[in-house]
Amino acid sequence: MSSAPRGFRIDPGWDGDVAGLDAAAVPGFPGGKQEGAAHLARSDAAVDDLQERLFAAFHGKEQGRSVLLVVQGMDTSGKGGIMRHVVGAVDPQGVDITAFKAPTDEERAHDFLWRIRPHAPAPGIIGVFDRSHYEDVLIHRVHGWADAEEIARRYAAIIEFERELVEAGTVIVKVMLHVSYREQGERLLERLERPDKHWKFNPGDIDEREHWDAYQDAYTAALRATATEHAPWHVVPADRKWYARIAVQQLLRDALEAIDPQWPAADFDVAEQTARLRRTMDAG
Amino acid sequence: MSSAPRGFRIDPGWDGDVAGLDAAAVPGFPGGKQEGAAHLARSDAAVDDLQERLFAAFHGKEQGRSVLLVVQGMDTSGKGGIMRHVVGAVDPQGVDITAFKAPTDEERAHDFLWRIRPHAPAPGIIGVFDRSHYEDVLIHRVHGWADAEEIARRYAAIIEFERELVEAGTVIVKVMLHVSYREQGERLLERLERPDKHWKFNPGDIDEREHWDAYQDAYTAALRATATEHAPWHVVPADRKWYARIAVQQLLRDALEAIDPQWPAADFDVAEQTARLRRTMDAG
């Protein structure tokens, strides 16, 4: 695959550590912030065209291709910015974003995938998960809400769930936005300093920050366990927001190009309908 | 209210005819296509700021303000372009688009508002209906699927439903994209001439076009009956796509400005949390 900003790809067998990956790196992209912004704007048209073809080819059908973009990351890693600047650049009619918050009592009463399954993308659609089923092997591990055996069971359930989606025609893109401890501190501080950012802050964010190393370990374990052939992970360095955006855009574009959706052929007689239409135009 | 592109406002007591309104007009805007595109781009930032405030102030709350943009119009009137270029310019995390297609058997078995109600916008959200409950007084009237008495009952039910939404804090913006018969013919022809547009065409579009006058009458009747103080209509001339876009953007902006959402005050002690955060930063 040609050189392009894609973060660090995590394939099966990876034995690295998330904490060992540079959150300020810009793998696959030779330019800086300004070139990054230009690159993002320039690539919008390509993603746009691919998305419209995907929609045209499969939307409304019982079966067909789709994309699922899973976005994970610590607080302030830039998930909102990805939703706004990358996902937001795509025609909203073809996108289905689900933000998974803390589960409700009803959701808690079911298996952890119960609330996830209904949000798998329909044919022709780009589904986006802002947080996801991975929370159940991340925060649950950090806080000990599930023991090692249960976490292992969940890894297996996730692999199986994702395999089902892939077999049904979905291309899954799993992204961990990788922010550094230092950068998170700066971003939280900005939220505290600006009254127009206070609503984004909650004291629990600092509680979670105090579990930083445990979260990094939980990410490492989850990525090792769930990076599969059918659904690898991508650790996207996120200390530079502009880089994270072009990398996620590139991964989304790769997924659409892998599907290579084509304009569907007309299921009506074009000449006949044209003649029919022209008669109504003469009459008008 | 200052002069700005808002189409034709339809208030209670209106006794005009939709067919008598010029679909190529550009009320409230002195410029042409190029100025229109610049105006659209320039106003994005204002809508963006207002939308973020709306979200910040009310999202996740049990009660609060929201906006519902209802977009109606004949085939090719540009509903998709509005979704893409006006709604699509807003942060997708704060927008909830519902495209209402022909009802399913289950939906048909219920009152016509049954499938609509769950899609009313949550607090803090801009809800958008691409087609809506108005289909039940438009296509149903044109094809005689409901008699005059039933249509009258539905008008009353719609007024009541919209009143409930307004009382709960929603600002409703009802837009009819008003395209001319001639322009529709040209746009359908383009769909037939371009293989990448064939998927947007279906022979039924010409069937509906053959009922043009009945549709114009149905719109006139529906607008007269359902333009209320709490939820007036706006007929937006749509033969010039650029004008329709700036007008709908302006109406959306007006709705947000009427709410005038403010950044919520912090519900935590800012100094205390800042000190706490700084301790984690020294430690890092």
Side-chain angles (χ1 to χ4, degrees), chain B residues 6-239:
Chain B
R6 295 186 173 94
F8 301 108
R9 183 178 163 117
I10 308 297
D11 282 309
W14 181 68
D15 62 357
D17 264 285
V18 164
L21 298 172
D22 182 1
V26 295
F29 194 72
K33 183 173 182 172
Q34 221 168 350
E35 291 83 2
H39 180 93
L40 189 73
R42 207 165 45 236
S43 299
D44 273 348
V47 174
D48 225 41
D49 175 66
L50 286 160
Q51 179 276 327
E52 194 179 2
R53 287 168 185 261
L54 179 75
F55 189 88
F58 301 112
H59 187 57
K61 300 227 181 328
E62 292 267 324
Q63 296 190 309
R65 310 301 307 272
S66 62
V67 173
L68 174 60
L69 172 64
V70 174
V71 183
Q72 283 289 151
M74 301 293 290
D75 281 330
T76 77
S77 60
K79 296 185 292 291
I82 294 294
M83 297 304 145
R84 192 164 182 156
H85 299 283
V86 180
V87 177
V90 179
D91 187 342
Q93 300 169 97
V95 174
D96 186 5
I97 302 180
T98 310
F100 290 99
K101 308 291 182 191
T104 62
D105 287 343
E106 188 190 13
E107 288 169 349
R108 250 183 267 271
H110 291 82
D111 181 70
F112 76 106
L113 291 174
W114 180 79
R115 67 169 185 156
I116 306 291
R117 292 184 184 276
H119 298 284
I125 296 294
I126 299 174
V128 182
F129 287 178
D130 174 356
R131 302 187 186 270
S132 67
H133 42 298
Y134 284 97
E135 292 296 320
D136 296 275
V137 294
L138 294 167
I139 187 169
H140 282 239
R141 180 185 149 125
V142 168
H143 291 289
W145 299 339
D147 63 20
E149 192 181 345
E150 172 61 12
I151 295 288
R153 186 194 71 77
R154 291 182 189 177
Y155 289 152
I158 286 172
I159 290 170
E160 186 51 31
F161 167 60
E162 293 178 352
R163 190 196 314 274
E164 284 168 27
L165 294 185
V166 169
E167 283 172 0
T170 303
V171 175
I172 303 179
V173 180
K174 301 190 294 197
V175 168
M176 178 206 174
L177 294 176
H178 181 44
V179 70
S180 67
Y181 183 80
R182 171 188 291 267
E183 179 67 17
Q184 189 196 50
E186 296 297 337
R187 292 183 186 175
L188 287 173
L189 193 60
E190 191 189 1
R191 291 184 179 177
L192 284 166
E193 284 171 344
R194 289 177 49 179
D196 63 334
K197 300 278 185 190
H198 284 167
W199 68 279
K200 291 189 174 186
F201 180 88
N202 117 38
D205 298 346
I206 301 181
D207 301 340
E208 295 308 305
R209 176 170 167 80
E210 287 169 346
H211 294 287
W212 187 269
D213 291 340
Y215 269 108
Q216 300 293 299
D217 288 347
Y219 268 104
T220 294
L223 269 57
R224 288 182 182 185
T226 62
T228 54
E229 291 290 344
H230 57 276
W233 273 96
H234 301 268
V235 175
V236 170
D239 274 11

Side-chain angles (χ1 to χ4, degrees), chain A residues 220-277:
Chain A
T220 293
L223 268 56
R224 288 183 182 183
T226 63
T228 54
E229 291 289 344
H230 58 275
W233 272 96
H234 302 267
V235 175
V236 170
D239 274 11
R240 303 175 201 259
K241 290 179 181 176
W242 64 265
Y243 178 79
R245 290 171 192 171
I246 59 173
V248 176
Q249 183 194 52
Q250 180 66 49
L251 294 168
L252 179 59
R253 182 172 171 175
D254 289 347
L256 290 163
E257 285 178 347
I259 293 173
D260 190 22
Q262 301 299 318
W263 299 116
D267 57 1
F268 50 84
D269 183 322
V270 176
E272 181 186 320
Q273 294 300 324
T274 303
R276 220 184 129 211
L277 176 62

Side-chain angles (χ1 to χ4, degrees), chain A residues 48 84 207 209 276 280, chain B residues 48 84 207 209 276 280:
Chain A
D48 225 42
R84 192 163 180 156
D207 301 340
R209 176 170 168 79
R276 220 184 129 211
T280 73
Chain B
D48 225 41
R84 192 164 182 156
D207 301 340
R209 176 170 167 80
R276 217 183 133 211
T280 73

